[in-house]
Each structure stands twice: as structure tokens, then as C-alpha cells.
Amino acid sequence: MANFRVCFTLWAAGPLEPHRVAHASLMSRAAVSAARKMLEAQELVTAETSAADQRSIVLSLTPKGVALTEEIHAKNLAITERYLAVLSRSEQHILMGLLGKVADSSGSSSSWSDPSSTT
């Protein structure tokens, strides 16, 4: 899963430094580093010295990485469409709004608390 998150982030955003991949994908720098090593070994990602800062590297998808990411993304979209098919268009919009609200609030707190608890 971490490997796909790195690939998807690079596919969506283009070449990035590892710390920017970590931030964009909500992963730790250590997780991005571990994924990078595996993805480089599989020839899905390349790491090159940054032109702007010789101390840093920039990660990029290889053509093989682009193809695999697009294939997985397409399959994921098809699965999502199947799950959502039981909902009307209006219900789908409501669900997306609610999920967006949850996603927006998840970055505001590092720990989840049950709103029904009385502590």
C-alpha cells in the first residue's frame, strides 16, 4: 500500500523531493524512504539529484511506474463505481460531502476521540 501511495502521489503531482511526497501522501519520511528503495529496485521510480539543491534528490515515476499506477488506479475506480452504483446520484454527492468533511477534520487532530464518550 505504501508503494502505491508513493507512486500515486508522483503520478498526480509529478516529480517531488521525498519530504514533499511524505507530506502529500500523509506518510512518514521513513516510510517514503523504504518504499523508494523497493520501487527503485522494481524500476518503477527513479531518484536523481535535484537541480535546485545538490544535497537533495527528486523522485520520478519511470514509464513502467506510470503504466502500473494508471492500471491500478483504473481498477480502483471501477471497484469504487461498483460500490457506489447502489446509491442515487444525490446520495453519492451527499456521501462525497460527508467523506470530504471527515477528511478535512482528520488533519486537525493527531488522535481520534469518540464523540459519544463522556470523558
Side-chain angles (χ1 to χ4, degrees), residues 23 26 99-112:
H23 179 75
L26 302 176
L99 291 173
K101 186 174 183 177
V102 170
D104 289 345
S105 71
S106 68
S108 64
S109 175
S110 60
S111 62
W112 181 83

Side-chain angles (χ1 to χ4, degrees), residues 1-8 25 27 31 35 38-39 72 76:
M1 183 68 156
N3 291 356
F4 179 74
R5 287 170 69 180
V6 170
C7 288
F8 186 80
S25 63
M27 296 172 62
M38 290 195 299
L39 292 167
I72 293 169
N76 185 43

Side-chain angles (χ1 to χ4, degrees), residues 22-102:
H23 179 75
S25 63
L26 302 176
M27 296 172 62
S28 70
R29 289 182 184 197
V32 170
S33 179
R36 182 196 112 210
K37 291 174 187 172
M38 290 195 299
L39 292 167
E40 280 185 299
Q42 296 170 338
E43 298 180 348
L44 299 173
V45 166
T46 60
E48 297 182 8
T49 303
S50 170
D53 181 356
Q54 298 295 312
R55 299 168 295 164
S56 185
I57 61 170
V58 174
L59 303 179
S60 301
L61 284 177
T62 65
K64 181 179 172 183
V66 170
L68 183 61
T69 302
E70 288 176 349
E71 177 185 336
I72 293 169
H73 182 57
K75 288 178 181 178
N76 185 43
L77 285 177
I79 291 167
T80 301
E81 287 175 5
R82 278 200 322 259
Y83 284 134
L84 294 179
V86 299
L87 301 176
S88 70
R89 192 58 127 175
S90 176
E91 290 169 330
Q92 289 178 21
H93 285 286
I94 292 168
L95 176 62
M96 294 307 294
L98 293 170
L99 291 173
K101 186 174 183 177
V102 170

